[in-house]
Amino acid sequence: MRSTASELNWSGTLTYTAERIVRPGTVAEAAEIVAGAPRVHGLGTRHSFNDVADGPGVLLDLTGIPTDLVIDADDRTATLGAGTRYGVVAPDIDRAGFALHNMGSLPHISVGGAVATGTHGSGTTLGSLSAAVRSFEMLGPDGSLRTLDRTDPAFPGTVLHLGLFGIVTRVTLDLEPTYRMRQDSYGPFPWSTFTDHVADIHGAGYSVCSYTVFGDEISEVLVKTRLPAGADDADAPDELFGAPRLPGSPGDGHHTARDGSVGPWWDRLPHFPIESVPSHGSEVQSEHFVPIRHAAAALDALRGLADRIQPHLHVCELRTMAADPFWLSPTQGEDVLCIAFTWKKHPEAVAALLPDLEARLAPFDGRPHWGKMSSLDGDAIAALYPRVADVRALIARADPDRTFASAFGERVLRA
Ligand SMILES: Cc1cc2nc3c(=O)[nH]c(=O)nc-3n(C[C@H](O)[C@H](O)[C@H](O)COP(=O)(O)OP(=O)(O)OC[C@H]3O[C@@H](n4cnc5c(N)ncnc54)[C@H](O)[C@@H]3O)c2cc1C
């Protein structure tokens, strides 16, 4: 077991304020720490840009607990240690003849941390990574293990938990038969062509991502097409809504191949290969989810801030995601457009801009990503989540002495 004093998050923009960070090597060690410490909070691979993963006492880093991947072919599930990075197990799942329904842009994040914040890829008919969770094991405040599955009435209020309910040790994910994929780039798209057809353009493939800097155009639309297992070739249309197919780029160690070549799902769903270190240290992010029916109006509203956005922006990525029933999910109740800003590493300037940016999205009930920068406080958040009072009641019942409390939870959820 390794124990350290304060450390930084992935982007280097946040110093954890916890008393110490402990990395147990077994679930039994983790349970002992939970049972003995007055304040504990779960920590994944530290990719969140805000203090959602910070806590006042012990930060329990789950990445030291072995993956111990168990694939149940009959049940179509994979069970693994919560601190496991997606990219580490995805090839093994593929070799066993199975696949995940989606992945985030980064395969380096932990399963437990991704699920806790509703991390997502893109796909109009695809739920977030939390939606793939069939069950999970969690240490409660006394250090005892409890399993929650989809049949439990508390599941929709707990699966996306922000670390506030306990320490998740193992997660069981839905699998489907393996498949292959290709990625093709199209562009540029005049702004109005894109905004007139957002839903159709994002419905043009299994998973579609679009990129803009809020000028006159959407520079690129990346279409990820799903192909049957065993496929090593396939056709793609030469144009999309009048925009030509671009040559794209082969996989180069920094990005997964965008040149139409066919590869395994785990090497096409993420934007970055597991062996890469994407833009390490040079970015911060914010992201908002708006109902897809408001997509055009929300994008136009943001474009009105282009002069203030552009000096700090690397790029804005647009994705879509299907509704789910989870109480704290940014996509709870309605299909959404995800508007994700990758900013230059100008955290103070971005923080100063966010209140105005978020005011522009307020008429569309823009919900912020739980793991990224936002200026919204507890009252503003509560107004966006109809079940937030039920979440607070669930937390009070599961953890009455608030062993798993965090400043983020108190500030943003009043929990
Ligand atoms: C370069 C980059 C790209 C990204 N791309 C995407 C993307 O494509 N889509 C997207 O939606 N987001 C994206 N994100 C955001 C990221 O996926 C989320 O912030 C995610 O929660 C990070 O997971 P993590 O393992 O680093 O968790 P951490 O940041 O360490 O923790 C996140 C939350 O999970 C809790 N937690 C973690 N593990 C446990 C556990 N075992 N038990 C209990 N609580 C736990 C923490 O307390 C905290 O509340 C990106 C971030 C970066 C840096």
Side-chain angles (χ1 to χ4, degrees), residues 36-392:
R39 295 278 180 272
V40 190
H41 204 67
L43 183 64
T45 46
R46 312 178 191 197
H47 284 91
S48 294
F49 291 91
N50 58 21
D51 60 343
V52 68
D54 201 5
V58 175
L59 276 193
L60 208 55
D61 174 339
L62 274 290
T63 61
I65 296 179
T67 296
D68 188 17
L69 175 67
V70 177
I71 292 181
D72 185 325
D74 295 331
D75 260 3
R76 289 198 179 169
T77 56
T79 301
L80 40 83
T84 305
R85 298 168 191 264
Y86 281 90
V88 167
V89 281
D92 293 333
I93 292 173
D94 188 21
R95 270 190 290 276
F98 292 100
L100 300 172
H101 82 296
N102 211 346
M103 292 174 76
S105 61
L106 202 60
H108 308 63
I109 51 172
S110 76
V111 174
V115 165
T117 62
T119 289
H120 61 93
S122 191
T124 304
T125 61
L126 305 177
S128 73
L129 303 187
S130 316
V133 177
R134 197 174 296 186
S135 65
F136 58 95
E137 290 176 13
M138 189 164 64
L139 293 168
D142 61 355
S144 65
L145 263 185
R146 166 181 179 211
T147 301
L148 264 99
D149 65 27
R150 285 182 186 142
T151 64
D152 191 313
F155 187 85
T158 317
V159 63
L160 201 165
H161 53 78
L162 310 177
L164 298 173
F165 288 83
I167 301 295
V168 177
T169 53
R170 285 183 71 73
V171 183
T172 297
L173 301 174
D174 287 333
L175 296 181
E176 43 191 271
T178 192
Y179 53 89
R180 286 168 66 80
M181 300 194 80
R182 60 179 287 165
Q183 300 189 86
D184 296 279
S185 288
Y186 296 86
F189 294 77
W191 183 267
S192 60
T193 302
F194 183 82
T195 52
D196 286 349
H197 302 285
V198 182
D200 293 334
I201 290 172
H202 273 257
Y206 182 71
S207 172
V208 176
C209 312
S210 304
Y211 300 90
T212 186
V213 292
F214 292 99
D216 296 334
E217 62 184 30
I218 300 292
S219 54
E220 182 187 355
V221 170
L222 181 64
V223 179
K224 298 175 190 254
T225 305
R226 183 169 162 159
L227 306 165
D232 51 19
D233 200 10
D235 291 332
D238 288 334
E239 60 169 52
L240 181 67
F241 283 84
R245 179 149 53 96
L246 304 169
S249 53
D252 58 3
H254 298 293
H255 291 96
T256 52
R258 296 178 168 200
D259 57 357
S261 58
V262 175
W265 54 271
W266 50 266
D267 200 27
R268 295 296 184 275
L269 282 172
H271 298 335
F272 306 102
I274 185 71
E275 64 274 13
S276 71
V277 185
S279 20
H280 195 141
S282 73
E283 66 184 72
V284 289
Q285 295 185 17
S286 66
E287 177 167 357
H288 289 82
F289 305 83
V290 296
I292 190 90
R293 64 195 154 89
H294 293 318
L299 290 171
D300 284 340
L302 289 175
R303 196 162 170 236
L305 275 182
D307 287 354
R308 294 178 56 201
I309 288 173
Q310 284 163 350
H312 308 295
L313 187 65
H314 280 306
V315 73
C316 177
E317 179 175 11
L318 308 172
R319 294 192 271 185
T320 47
M321 203 187 358
D324 65 45
F326 306 140
W327 302 355
L328 284 182
S329 171
T331 188
Q332 186 258 338
E334 212 173 334
D335 297 352
V336 295
L337 177 77
C338 320
I339 308 174
F341 291 85
T342 297
W343 303 101
K344 294 173 187 164
K345 198 171 170 182
H346 300 168
E348 289 87 11
V350 172
L353 179 55
L354 278 173
D356 290 343
L357 191 154
E358 294 184 299
R360 298 248 168 174
L361 293 177
F364 316 109
D365 294 334
R367 290 168 171 165
H369 192 301
W370 290 115
K372 302 191 180 184
M373 293 177 72
S374 167
S375 67
L376 297 191
D377 64 16
D379 293 335
I381 294 283
L384 296 169
Y385 287 93
R387 303 292 302 264
V388 77
D390 297 325
V391 173
R392 290 179 188 132

